[in-house]
Each structure stands twice: as C-alpha cells, then as structure tokens.
Amino acid sequence: MGSWFARSRSIPYLLKRNISFLHANSSCKTLPPYKSPHGFRERPPASILSFRRLESAMVGKQAQAVAYTDDDGESQSIEFPGGRVGFTTQMEFISEATDKRVPCYRVLDDDGFPIAGTRFDQLDEETAVRMYKSMVSLQIMDTIFYEAQRQGRLSFYLTSTGEEAINIATAAALSPDDIILPQYREPGILLWRGFSIEEFASQCFGTKDGHGKGRQMPIHYGSKDLNFITVSSPIATQLPQAAGVAYSLKMDGKEACAVAFTGDGGTSEGDFHAAMNFAAVMEAPVLFICRNNGWAISTPVSEQFRSDGVVVKGQAYGIRSIRVDGNDALAVYSAIRAARMMVVREQKPVLVEALTYRVGHHSTSDDSTKYRSVKEIEQWKRSRNPMTRFRNWVQANGWWSDQEEAELRGTLRNQVLKAIQVAEKAEKPCLGDLFSDVYDKLPSNLQQQEKSLRQTITRHKQDFPPDVPL
Amino acid sequence: MAASFGVSSAAVQAVKSSASPLPSPPVIRSEARPISGRINRSRKAGKIATHAVAARTENPASAASKTGHEVLLFEALREGLEEEMERDPRVCIFGEDVGHYGGSYKVSKGLAEKYGDLRVLDTPIAENSFTGMAVGAAMTGLRPVVEGMNMGFLLLAFNQISDNCGMLHYTSGGQFTIPTVIRGPGGVGRQLGAEHSQRLESYFQSIPGIQMVACSTPYNAKGLMKAAIRSENPVVLFEHVLLYNLKERIPDEEYVVSLEEAEMVRPGKHVTILTYSRMRYHVMQAAKTLVNKGYDPEVIDIRSLKPFDLHTIGNSIKKTHKVLIVEECMRTGGIGASLTAAINENFNDYLDAPIVCLSSQDVPTPYAGTLEEVTVVQPPQIVTAVEQLCR
C-alpha cells in the first residue's frame, strides 16, 4: 500500500500542464487524509485531484480507520480483501425491500404553493420567468411538431410532455460549461442554452442548415457549442461515455461536470450499471439524472425492476443519491444545484432520480392508450401538471399574468409554425454530405463510391429526386 | 537507399499511376506529404519521418539506421505509446490491468509509474463501458488508447465501437471527433481456447467510420501505434498473441508508418501473396521452400485491413497476374473474402487465374494442440497452393 503514496507524489507534475487547480497548491506533497471519527471521509476542496483518487482507491484503508465496534457489541472483525468487516453469529438476510420507500424531496404542493417548512433555493424573478417561458416554449414546440408529424410533414417526433420541469429546471440549475449527454427527452436543455426554434426545425427536417447535416432522424439534436452531445438512439450508451467526459474534465481540472440522462428503462441496460460503477471507482464528476416517468414504451416500472425505483441503486455502487419530485420545478432546481455542487467540489458522482409521468406517447410511433388507461393520462395531464404548479407559484409572486401568458403562447405558436414552414422548404444537404465526415478526410473507397453514384445519377436523372443538390 | 530521396517510391508510383487512365485508385493520404519519405535525422519541432514502405528489403530498419536498438515487439509498442504520451499530454490509456500491472502482455509496463494512474487508468471489467468512456473522453478532447485484454473481449464493446466510435462523427454533422485507438492481442495462439482465439477483424470490417490496421513486426508495430494515436479517426490496431516476443532492430530516431499502406516484404514476379499479422511468417517460411524450388513469390503484408491498399496490391497484380491470399480469419466473411471481392472488382483484367484464398476453417478454435495447428494455414499448404497456381 505504501507504494501508492510514493507514486502519488509524482503524478501532478506529469499531468497536463494547463491543469488549473482550484486552489493554488503547487507544492505536491501528499495530502493528509481527512478523517472524521465516523469513518466518513470529508474531502478538502477540490485541489490536487489525482491524489484523492489514489487515496480513496483504497477502500480497505478507509474502513480500517474506524475502530470497529458495532451496535450489537460485536467487537471483533475479520479482514478480507476490501477491508475489515464485522461478523455476526446471527444469520440474517438483508430484506429485498425496506418498510418505507425512499421519500421524495418536494417544495411545491399539488397546487403550486410552497409546503410549510420546506427549504429550497430561492429563485429571482428573472430566472423564474425565464424558466416558465422556456417551459411554455418547449410545450408549444412539442405540440406543433407532433402535429406536423401527424400531418405527414415530419417523419418522426418525440415529445417531452409532462417532463417540462425536469428539462428546464435542470438546465437552469447547471452551468453552461457542464457537458450534457442526453437520452432523447431533454431538448429543453438545448432550448435553455440558446438553441433556436429554427435550429430545432432544421434538424427535424434534415435540412442543410441543421447541425447534423441531415444525417440523423428527428430529435437527435447535438451541439458542440452548447455542450450537448449528439443524441444516439440506443439506450444508455451515453452513460459510460459520461464517465469518459467526466474523466476528461477531471484531467483538465475544469470546474464543470458531465451530466448524463437516462429514463427508467435505461437503468436496466448493462451500460447503466457499468457506468455507475466506473464513475464511482474513478471518482469521476458525473451527475446521473434518471427521469423515472413510469413507462418504457409499454413496459411499466413494475416490469422494469423490482427495486424501490432507481434511487436505491446509488448506494449499491457507492454513489450518493436523492429522489426528487420531477414535476416540481423548484424542487428539481434546488436538488440539481446541490447535486452539481457536490459533484464538482468533491469530484464524485451523484445520482438524482426525478419521479415524473410520461404524459405523451413514447413517440409518434406509439399509441399509449393501447397499454394504459386514458383516465390515467388525463389525470396527470390536468391535475398534476408541472407547468400549472410552477405557473401558480410564479403568478402568486406577482411575476406573471394571464395576459402575458396569452401573448407568449400566441407569439411562440406563430414562431414555431413559421420555423416549420421555412424548414420544410429549405434545401436538403448536398450529395457530398452523404460521404463526408465518415472519416476526417475522404478515403479512396468512398471517393470511388461517390464518383460511381454521381455517374449513376447523371445517367438516370429522372429516377432521382430533383431537390437533392448535387 | 530510396529513403534518402525526398519522395518515397510509393509516392512516385502513385503520381505515375494517377496520370495514367488505369482504374486503380490512388493510395490515400500518404501521397499528400511530399517530404515524408526522408528520415529526419535532426528532429525538428513537429516534423516526423514517415516511411512509405513500398520498396523495402526484408529487414527495413537495418538499412535505415546502423545504430538503432533491438526491441521485442511488445517493447516497440510500448515505445510508441510512451513517445506519444510524452509528446501529447492528451494521450491516455484505459483498460484492465494496464496500470501498475503493466498490461497482460506488458505493453503498458512502466507507464503508470511515469505518467500516473489517471493517465494510465485501470478500469473495472466492463468492455462496453470503458470503450464508451473512451468515446466520451475523445469527444471532449482527449486521445484515449483502449486496450482489450484479448481482442475477443471487445465483442462486448461492439455497440460502442460500431454505433458510437464509428458513427458519432458522422451523425453529429462533424461536430464531435473520436480520435481513439482500440488495440489488443488477437488471433489464434497456443491452446488458448476458442474464446481467446478470435479474429475480430472479420466482424469489424464493415463498420463505417473506423480504420483497421494489423502490425506484424516491431518496426511496423511502433510506427502503426504512433500513427494510430495521431489519427483523427478511430483506429483498431490488431496485434497477435504469438508475435509479442519477436525481436528486431529499429531506428533510434522517431518515425511513423502510414496507416493506409501495405508493406512489400519480398519483391518477386511469379505470384502475389497477400497476407498480414502472424501469417506473414508462415508465408515467409513457405517462401524459403518456394525459392529453393525455383519460384519467385512477391510477398506483401497488407497491414491496412480497412481500407485496403489497392494501389500497392494492384501494382503487384499487374506484374505477377496471380494472387494468393493467406489469412488467419475464418473462410466465411473474413478479410480474405473481402479482399478477394475487391481484387476481382478492380483487377479482373490482370488476373491469369482465379484468386486463391487460404483461411482457417469455419470452426471455433479447438484447445487440443494438434487440432489447433491444422486450423490455421501452415507453410506446406502455402507451398502447394503456389505450385498449383503457377502451373
């Protein structure tokens, strides 16, 4: 074990030279481990990142620090790889379920009034109004794009109806430097960060102006400038990537974190478990946010896992976690702000489970009334709507009015409709974009294939769509 | 000493062929560097030597530099890794047991001590995860080198390699690049059992967006490692379990080898033998026998498995008009199958006989030594095939 410490002294010298330590601490001595008598390591503020990684890699050492006496008075313990563990002569199985489910952090009640005694991050008027307006934008964008798909103008669309609070409150609570690895139901974050309606439309219609150059299906947005990694269809593949992004941020010593989203269904994928484990072991600054909306297409959570939701899985990997009411914008905002602070300062992962409900269908390829009752959907839409709750709170503070609402909705509706009209008629990507960006430069086989395709098109012009620029 | 001229002979040939109306496609990228053929004795900042290896003797390194130093293949890989890590602080290594253990074949030995175990990261056992992690790290500016303990385990990482490594640059509209290197030992070893004897080049060759190369000598191992790390594209570097202890004298000066070029191992005129990785040595052993029998085979180590260096291969076919492919992949869907199709399509006019492809059988590799031996192509088979071809 001593060799770990010896090696650790040389590491900061050899890491990237432009690491900016959050505290100017250029003397690379070994930090004394901070230990409280309860064995829970309190971390010094994020400074020499690599040290702490080494130190905390030794789980055994950590447990050894505790003078082992547990409540039953068993004063003996045995040592195994992984540390000291007390033993008991009573054969007891840990129950598969606790008596009470993990409670859910909430600020606003069903009608949008702050619950007595609740603690939350106070929002100023500007942020609150901006948040609400963004939620309305998201809702209107979703509604109209969905309709456009139904009219045959778009091939596919996926709404975030019912999850507007998660989308916008999370975006507002994070910093623009935080890198987002979305699942696919988080366009609100792009919206908050400045992606325009026109840009959304360009991607959905696959025009030449879209960031994706028409290569991905609708709603697979991506923007490097806004730190939003392009959506990839297979579920949960972004989770291990988040560990990598966080690793990169850790190496750079940046005051930012990776934020990875998944749904309840995504937590069944192997990638979820491996990513959580990796992030914990490597002490990577990842904020895992699980949008538990109750449904994975037609699979309800009762058929997805048997645990108490997703929040309890955090502890299994050594990750701090919290359960929050995902339909409560204030609760989400406060919880994400706190979680992000922990992630960045302590350089370790945190899991947030936001409970919510998927009001819309999974996508335009789904009709959810086939597997759930219309009554259930309506109930969530009307009486437990995240937007209504937040609006009530904002209006109660005197920051919003019905008239402003009507105006906003009118303006936005026109804006979205216009954006769709423009994108529909916009030029599609040129033929060359079929072959570019597969590699950094066009290799000979693709050059050949492009040449062959162009020859075919020239010979059979009538068989090819006339609106594809060559 | 072709190397002392400013332009490599491959580049010269490329220039010649691009002027002619023949259908062979030019070799990509290596031609674009006019001074790259010269060995840089004085290493200027940022300038490195790129050897275009089209006209090379069997022992290229000794012709290039009398001084040089002897290394084993795994040490050459390590040298390449170390030089790149020194040169670019963004290069990092992920894999199981790569840190203080030094890698299961010692390719990363000593690097964790030198660069710290953040840059040489030991990961938990989840191939899909650490490959995904490499994709994420690459998208945010790092240059990860992922080691699969055995190539076969990377089948678990197929999704990340195919859908993300290969595709994200394209689907993001060019916004995110994934400059990763995925490497590891593969191929049929000595009684390692079926799951440890996989030839993943067969399965990966279709993935759009990745490049694949296979090293076979300490010289090209180091050069390919360096080139792969410097490439902006994801590159899969196939090493072979049985070749790690090959010894060769390699130059002291820095050099990089082109990722898209084949290596002329032995010029000849009777038949073109295309091979790569371990089979190169079986072919050379057969070549000795063939030479004694009066044949003059031209042996090319194709090195670049995706894309194929059809320029070098084409020039050889135009000379010999007969092709024998010797590979370790299974018969169905292997590199040989694709290469046969590519040659037939491009050089059909130049062939005097159908292409012969010697591959392993479509069976899982057995554990029993005797059975394992007959599942890979052996020199006597190669000799017989050449004799039949040249009749």
Side-chain angles (χ1 to χ4, degrees):
Chain A
M1 286 301 190
S3 60
W4 284 93
F5 282 106
R7 217 175 299 133
S8 69
R9 266 179 219 108
S10 58
I11 290 165
Y13 291 119
L14 301 162
L15 286 176
K16 253 177 101 164
R17 254 157 258 140
N18 57 351
I19 283 182
S20 55
F21 296 116
L22 296 178
H23 290 263
N25 187 353
S26 55
S27 68
C28 303
K29 299 194 192 73
T30 317
L31 287 175
Y34 282 56
K35 285 178 224 163
S36 78
H38 306 288
F40 181 81
R41 234 164 233 269
E42 280 140 14
R43 298 241 164 264
S47 53
I48 303 183
L49 311 171
S50 53
F51 279 2
R52 284 182 285 106
R53 192 204 158 267
L54 279 185
E55 288 171 2
S56 59
M58 299 171 292
V59 175
K61 267 243 175 252
Q62 184 171 348
Q64 255 167 3
V66 180
Y68 207 95
T69 52
D70 70 72
D71 295 328
D72 293 334
E74 305 281 350
S75 56
Q76 284 153 314
S77 54
I78 25 178
E79 192 161 350
F80 275 115
R84 279 197 166 272
V85 64
F87 63 83
T88 169
T89 51
Q90 304 304 312
M91 175 166 58
E92 269 171 36
F93 284 77
I94 304 174
S95 172
E96 68 269 26
T98 48
D99 294 333
K100 273 190 0 189
R101 292 190 61 185
V102 171
C104 178
Y105 170 64
R106 182 185 230 219
V107 170
L108 298 174
D109 64 16
D110 278 340
D111 298 315
F113 294 101
I115 303 170
T118 190
R119 294 235 212 133
F120 62 98
D121 276 11
Q122 187 56 258
L123 283 178
D124 62 350
E125 178 179 352
E126 198 189 320
T127 315
V129 170
R130 188 182 162 201
M131 272 172 66
Y132 182 68
K133 281 162 104 168
S134 302
M135 285 163 79
V136 175
S137 300
L138 179 58
Q139 189 186 54
I140 292 185
M141 190 176 83
D142 271 351
T143 315
I144 300 184
F145 275 103
Y146 187 89
E147 282 169 22
Q149 195 277 344
R150 282 285 173 257
Q151 292 165 9
R153 296 155 84 182
L154 250 191
S155 66
F156 175 85
Y157 193 73
L158 191 148
T159 63
S160 311
T161 317
E163 299 181 49
E164 294 90 351
I166 295 180
N167 265 259
I168 302 297
T170 305
L174 297 170
S175 130
D177 293 327
D178 295 329
I179 302 185
I180 311 288
L181 291 103
Q183 178 68 68
Y184 44 58
R185 232 180 272 279
E186 300 89 14
I189 303 190
L190 271 177
L191 197 69
W192 177 269
R193 289 185 173 185
F195 211 61
S196 66
I197 306 279
E198 292 73 29
E199 284 173 298
F200 281 111
S202 294
Q203 199 283 332
C204 286
F205 283 89
T207 68
K208 70 168 179 26
D209 307 309
H211 289 250
K213 296 186 191 166
R215 292 170 184 150
Q216 257 290 17
M217 49 191 288
I219 68 99
H220 286 59
Y221 314 111
S223 167
K224 190 169 182 170
D225 295 333
L226 301 178
N227 285 328
F228 191 92
I229 307 253
T230 307
V231 175
S232 175
S233 313
I235 301 283
T237 56
Q238 70 281 4
L239 299 175
Q241 291 170 16
V245 169
Y247 171 84
S248 175
L249 289 171
K250 190 180 167 104
M251 252 205 186
D252 287 351
K254 287 216 178 103
E255 205 175 334
C257 61
V259 183
F261 286 86
T262 184
D264 40 286
T267 65
S268 293
E269 278 280 355
D271 277 352
F272 169 77
H273 302 275
M276 295 268 282
N277 192 38
F278 265 62
V281 168
M282 290 187 318
E283 301 194 347
V286 192
L287 175 54
F288 290 103
I289 302 180
C290 174
R291 295 174 294 95
N292 183 345
N293 62 21
W295 293 92
I297 308 192
S298 69
T299 310
V301 285
S302 57
E303 285 171 32
Q304 193 71 251
F305 37 67
R306 284 296 157 88
S307 55
D308 171 18
V310 175
V311 65
V312 292
K313 299 190 204 229
Q315 197 173 48
Y317 297 105
I319 291 181
R320 207 172 296 162
S321 50
I322 187 172
R323 169 173 276 163
V324 67
D325 177 353
N327 285 354
D328 180 343
L330 286 183
V332 173
Y333 180 83
S334 301
I336 298 288
R337 269 199 81 183
R340 183 196 177 268
M341 197 76 69
M342 281 180 220
V343 169
V344 173
R345 286 233 184 101
E346 299 179 43
Q347 294 284 298
K348 45 200 297 196
V350 171
L351 169 66
V352 176
E353 179 185 17
L355 295 179
T356 179
Y357 188 84
R358 191 195 80 209
V359 170
H361 306 303
H362 165 71
S363 72
T364 49
S365 314
D366 173 47
D367 173 13
S368 58
T369 55
K370 287 207 177 93
Y371 49 80
R372 55 184 187 176
S373 70
V374 178
K375 198 164 124 225
E376 179 186 309
I377 304 173
E378 286 301 306
Q379 189 199 8
W380 280 95
K381 204 170 180 174
R382 299 204 186 295
S383 57
R384 305 165 86 171
N385 190 322
M387 287 183 56
T388 321
R389 281 164 82 187
F390 190 56
R391 180 184 166 179
N392 286 347
W393 181 77
V394 175
Q395 283 198 224
N397 280 328
W399 297 338
W400 193 247
S401 68
D402 288 345
Q403 197 210 344
E404 284 170 293
E405 174 93 11
E407 270 171 24
L408 177 69
R409 285 186 179 266
T411 320
L412 281 172
R413 198 178 156 78
N414 289 336
Q415 195 187 353
V416 176
L417 284 171
K418 176 130 187 286
I420 292 183
Q421 281 165 9
V422 169
E424 243 180 335
K425 300 198 201 82
E427 217 177 48
K428 298 291 183 221
C430 65
L431 196 69
D433 276 342
L434 178 62
F435 298 98
S436 60
D437 292 330
V438 180
Y439 295 98
D440 56 345
K441 296 185 205 93
L442 216 58
S444 62
N445 61 324
L446 288 184
Q447 278 174 18
Q448 217 183 349
Q449 289 169 20
E450 184 176 355
K451 199 164 118 202
S452 163
L453 181 59
R454 286 182 190 275
Q455 281 170 353
T456 314
I457 292 178
T458 317
R459 255 179 267 141
H460 305 277
K461 254 201 175 57
Q462 70 284 357
D463 293 330
F464 279 83
D467 61 348
V468 177
L470 290 174
Chain B
M1 267 230 310
S4 66
F5 286 93
V7 176
S8 70
S9 35
V12 169
Q13 281 173 347
V15 166
K16 281 192 198 150
S17 72
S18 59
S20 72
L22 297 168
S24 56
V27 174
I28 19 156
R29 293 205 265 301
S30 60
E31 306 157 67
R33 283 176 272 179
I35 57 159
S36 53
R38 182 182 10 219
I39 303 165
N40 244 321
R41 291 214 176 254
S42 58
R43 187 153 70 89
K44 295 171 204 136
K47 282 213 186 270
I48 38 95
T50 306
H51 291 287
V53 290
R56 215 158 253 301
T57 60
E58 217 163 317
N59 202 350
S62 53
S65 149
K66 293 251 168 62
T67 48
H69 57 286
E70 267 195 345
V71 285
L72 301 178
L73 195 142
F74 76 89
E75 289 169 345
L77 287 167
R78 188 187 345 129
E79 265 184 36
L81 251 182
E82 193 167 348
E83 282 175 21
E84 290 306 297
M85 287 185 83
E86 190 66 45
R87 175 180 175 266
D88 187 346
R90 299 171 299 167
V91 180
C92 47
I93 306 178
F94 302 157
E96 295 152 19
D97 299 311
V98 294
H100 54 102
Y101 188 75
S104 46
Y105 289 91
K106 302 287 173 261
V107 171
S108 54
K109 188 162 185 202
L111 296 179
E113 280 82 20
K114 191 168 173 193
Y115 294 104
D117 56 8
L118 193 60
R119 270 182 90 185
V120 183
L121 186 72
D122 273 333
T123 62
I125 307 176
E127 281 75 11
N128 205 25
S129 229
F130 60 70
T131 311
M133 195 180 135
V135 172
M139 287 195 285
T140 33
L142 292 182
R143 304 187 79 91
V145 178
V146 174
E147 171 174 311
M149 193 179 269
N150 185 284
M151 268 289 175
F153 307 153
L154 290 182
L155 285 171
L156 288 154
F158 207 115
N159 179 46
Q160 290 287 352
I161 295 175
S162 156
D163 285 356
N164 296 314
C165 250
M167 293 190 194
L168 265 170
H169 185 234
Y170 185 79
T171 57
S172 68
Q175 292 183 82
F176 297 101
T177 53
I178 327 275
T180 48
V181 177
I182 297 167
R183 50 158 292 268
V188 177
R190 296 238 190 281
Q191 297 193 271
L192 296 177
E195 293 95 349
H196 295 101
S197 312
Q198 296 271 43
R199 283 128 285 167
L200 283 220
E201 56 270 25
S202 302
Y203 308 139
F204 285 173
Q205 59 179 323
S206 256
I207 301 173
I210 61 165
Q211 279 185 262
M212 306 199 310
V213 288
C215 62
S216 49
T217 66
Y219 181 82
N220 63 36
K222 178 175 174 181
L224 286 172
M225 172 71 91
K226 289 169 72 87
I229 293 175
R230 294 184 194 195
S231 168
E232 292 303 313
N233 298 314
V235 178
V236 186
L237 170 58
F238 291 93
E239 300 152 16
H240 198 285
V241 278
L242 295 180
L243 298 184
Y244 281 119
N245 289 321
L246 281 180
K247 195 187 280 198
E248 192 183 359
R249 182 170 283 275
I250 63 172
D252 289 328
E253 324 60 64
E254 198 182 12
Y255 69 93
V256 169
V257 140
S258 170
L259 286 175
E260 296 94 19
E261 278 183 29
E263 189 178 318
M264 178 67 72
V265 185
R266 182 192 187 282
K269 52 185 192 291
H270 285 157
V271 60
T272 299
I273 306 184
L274 302 172
T275 182
Y276 68 95
S277 193
R278 181 194 170 203
M279 288 296 110
R280 166 189 174 137
Y281 295 93
H282 283 205
V283 167
M284 289 313 290
Q285 208 182 324
K288 286 204 195 100
T289 316
L290 286 167
V291 164
N292 287 339
K293 293 190 175 195
Y295 295 94
D296 188 16
E298 178 152 291
V299 181
I300 295 178
D301 181 338
I302 62 174
R303 271 192 351 208
S304 174
L305 305 180
K306 182 182 170 81
F308 294 131
D309 178 5
L310 290 178
H311 175 79
T312 310
I313 294 171
N315 284 341
S316 176
I317 296 174
K318 287 173 197 160
K319 193 170 38 160
T320 67
H321 309 295
K322 295 179 215 63
V323 179
L324 170 66
I325 300 172
V326 180
E327 59 162 354
E328 209 175 279
C329 285
M330 293 184 230
R331 184 134 208 92
T332 306
I335 295 290
S338 300
L339 193 51
T340 305
I343 296 173
N344 272 325
E345 216 170 68
N346 288 292
F347 306 115
N348 193 32
D349 287 341
Y350 297 95
L351 292 171
D352 283 349
I355 301 170
V356 177
C357 181
L358 297 177
S359 356
S360 301
Q361 301 86 347
D362 288 327
V363 297
T365 311
Y367 169 79
T370 43
L371 293 180
E372 184 184 67
E373 214 174 271
V374 297
T375 193
V376 294
V377 178
Q378 297 294 342
Q381 285 168 272
I382 304 173
V383 171
T384 314
V386 170
E387 286 176 333
Q388 282 180 336
L389 248 185
C390 290
R391 203 170 313 148

